[in-house]
Amino acid sequence: METDVCVIVPTIREHECVRSYVANAEKHGFDTDRLEFVLVTEDFCPTGEMEAMLDELGVEGEVFDGSRREEWFESQGVGEYSHLIPAKSHAQTSFGLLYLWVSDHPYAVFIDDDTRPHDTVDFFGTHIGNLTENRTVESVRSDTNWVNVLYHGADEHGLYPRGYPYSAMDETTETGETELTDVVASQGLWTNVPDLDAVRILMDGDLQGQAETRLTADDFGPDFVAEPGQYLTVCSMNLAFRREVVPAFYQLPMDDNEWSVGRFDDIWSGVFLKRAADILDKQIVSGDPLCRHDKAPRSTFDDLHNEVAGLELNEHLWELVDDVDPVVEGRDAEAYATVFGAMADALVAAEADYRNGEFLAHVGECMHDWLDCLGELRSATRAVPADD
């Protein structure tokens, strides 16, 4: 069967997670010939062991440390855009998006290396089914325009996920039903360690970066979509999506910047993707397949240090793009690029009188560079020699 799913795994610790996901596919009859793994790592990591693992498993795959990423940029003729991938940052997942853009796989999956699939769940099959099947699911909205992806059990555990604005808490939630007709992203949620920010982890009484409260499958309800005009946190640890969204899904330049803003790469890219999806009449579904999140202990205060520079910006970013509504033609990748460019313009022009507000213009400029890079890559890959 043709390879059609690009599996992007940022890893510096637990590359062996790939074994669990391949085993899950084999157990549930998902053809592993459909999968190509792209491991995004660092020069100090055991790339040889990673390559040997992929060979042993018999799956297609590539391993890109920092040096090989630089070589890839040069080989593709886009070396001037290598700054789009920040050093030693989770946002390096954006390199996987560039690889996907060139490879033309119609689907991709983000997997974090501290997760594992549940044995009883067809991980890849469920994600691809979410992206391709029409069915009825729960729809959700709130009076603060934000949906807590943990809302099913929130009355018991009181948790809000990393990136959820503090000003949007204590919301009133309403649910209904909607038909899934054009899903572009499938967000799987997570048992065991919840994905919380450092402030909320401290409030939960944990100094090791994890949280005292743990989640089980019983804490989650049916699959759902946030209604148009509603926002939600999008975590990239367990996420499938269609290739067409790549222009509007840049994982933003975190950590490696003069403002020290970090930890919001997938959160902010999720805000942009949701706005684009709403404009283009597309859907993001959240719920299954659940994965187990085994976050390693680390200092909660280190995470707090990495997050605090962007906390105020996170309260307002969504408001800056909520009014963006450009005229678009079609519903393809070009349409996503048009919407993303308009959001980039909004950030560059924003009078952001917030702590580290200048970072928003920097993000907007990088968003434009992202679109330019994609344009050059497409021009190169579409250059076909004339028939003799």
Side-chain angles (χ1 to χ4, degrees):
M1 180 174 287
E2 181 180 358
T3 302
D4 64 345
V5 183
C6 184
V7 185
I8 301 163
V9 186
T11 179
I12 60 171
R13 291 179 299 268
E14 297 288 341
H15 63 269
E16 294 282 331
C17 71
V18 172
R19 295 184 185 276
S20 297
Y21 285 96
V22 171
N24 179 274
E26 292 173 340
K27 176 178 180 178
H28 292 280
F30 189 93
D31 190 346
T32 57
D33 286 345
R34 297 180 63 182
L35 305 175
E36 179 178 12
F37 287 84
V38 178
L39 276 58
V40 185
T41 187
E42 298 290 352
D43 288 346
F44 58 80
C45 293
T47 55
E49 292 181 14
M50 297 178 190
E51 292 166 348
M53 175 189 66
L54 296 176
D55 288 342
E56 179 186 339
L57 292 171
V59 293
E60 293 291 327
E62 299 274 2
V63 179
F64 289 93
D65 58 17
S67 297
R68 189 157 183 234
R69 287 195 295 275
E70 290 292 332
E71 293 171 0
W72 186 91
F73 273 98
E74 293 298 330
S75 69
Q76 297 291 329
V78 291
E80 65 185 289
Y81 297 105
S82 62
H83 66 280
L84 289 170
I85 311 301
K88 299 179 182 178
S89 170
H90 184 270
Q92 290 172 344
T93 47
S94 280
F95 178 80
L97 297 180
L98 295 178
Y99 186 92
L100 168 67
W101 189 246
V102 171
S103 68
D104 274 352
H105 298 331
Y107 310 111
V109 181
F110 279 151
I111 293 174
D112 273 9
D113 68 357
D114 59 357
T115 68
R116 298 294 186 274
H118 287 274
D119 290 341
T120 57
V121 177
D122 179 1
F123 181 83
F124 292 109
T126 301
H127 266 313
I128 300 304
N130 286 344
L131 294 174
T132 58
E133 297 171 1
N134 295 342
R135 58 192 173 97
T136 301
V137 299
E138 197 165 69
S139 62
V140 193
R141 65 179 298 107
S142 85
D143 58 347
T144 64
N145 298 103
W146 273 83
V147 171
N148 179 359
V149 297
L150 303 177
Y151 75 94
H152 283 118
D155 288 344
E156 286 72 37
H157 55 60
L159 300 179
Y160 287 90
R162 176 177 57 89
Y164 192 97
Y166 289 92
S167 58
M169 294 171 60
D170 300 321
E171 74 283 7
T172 299
T173 298
E174 299 178 358
T175 62
E177 288 187 344
T178 192
E179 294 295 317
L180 292 183
T181 57
D182 206 342
V183 175
V184 294
S186 165
Q187 176 175 211
L189 301 176
W190 2 266
T191 60
N192 197 24
V193 181
D195 183 35
L196 309 181
D197 66 23
V199 173
R200 292 180 171 109
I201 292 172
L202 289 172
M203 293 289 288
D204 197 51
D206 188 280
L207 302 183
Q208 298 301 311
Q210 295 183 319
E212 292 294 320
T213 302
R214 299 301 171 93
L215 301 175
T216 70
D218 292 338
D219 292 305
F220 298 91
D223 294 348
F224 63 92
V225 298
E227 293 183 7
Q230 301 283 306
Y231 292 87
L232 76 166
T233 54
V234 175
C235 171
S236 65
M237 78 168 79
N238 173 14
L239 183 75
F241 52 94
R242 292 181 176 271
R243 179 185 172 280
E244 69 193 56
V245 309
V246 166
F249 203 39
Y250 174 41
Q251 306 295 290
L252 300 165
M254 296 289 157
D255 305 299
D256 184 22
N257 59 76
E258 64 181 274
W259 300 272
S260 300
V261 178
R263 300 264 295 162
F264 291 100
D265 48 308
D266 51 353
I267 300 301
W268 290 4
S269 70
V271 169
F272 298 148
L273 179 60
K274 182 57 165 68
R275 182 61 190 144
D278 286 351
I279 291 173
L280 300 176
D281 299 319
K282 308 284 188 172
Q283 296 162 311
I284 299 171
V285 64
S286 298
D288 286 327
L290 299 175
C291 71
R292 189 179 77 248
H293 183 207
D294 298 328
K295 184 179 180 182
R298 65 192 191 210
S299 170
T300 307
F301 295 102
D302 283 349
D303 278 353
L304 179 62
H305 175 77
N306 293 332
E307 294 169 0
V308 69
L311 283 178
E312 184 177 12
L313 299 179
N314 188 61
E315 294 293 312
H316 302 284
L317 177 89
W318 70 276
E319 298 171 325
L320 296 175
V321 302
D322 191 51
D323 290 333
V324 169
D325 193 11
V327 176
V328 293
E329 296 182 4
R331 295 293 184 268
D332 58 4
E334 289 296 324
Y336 283 95
T338 297
V339 176
F340 199 62
M343 289 189 282
D345 289 341
L347 295 190
V348 170
E351 295 181 3
D353 187 21
Y354 313 126
R355 181 178 180 83
N356 297 322
E358 300 89 349
F359 180 66
L360 295 178
H362 171 70
V363 168
E365 291 164 358
C366 287
M367 291 163 69
H368 279 302
D369 286 349
W370 176 254
L371 295 175
D372 291 343
C373 181
L374 294 179
E376 293 197 22
L377 287 171
R378 293 304 287 166
S379 296
T381 57
R382 288 294 181 258
V384 180
D387 293 334
D388 293 331

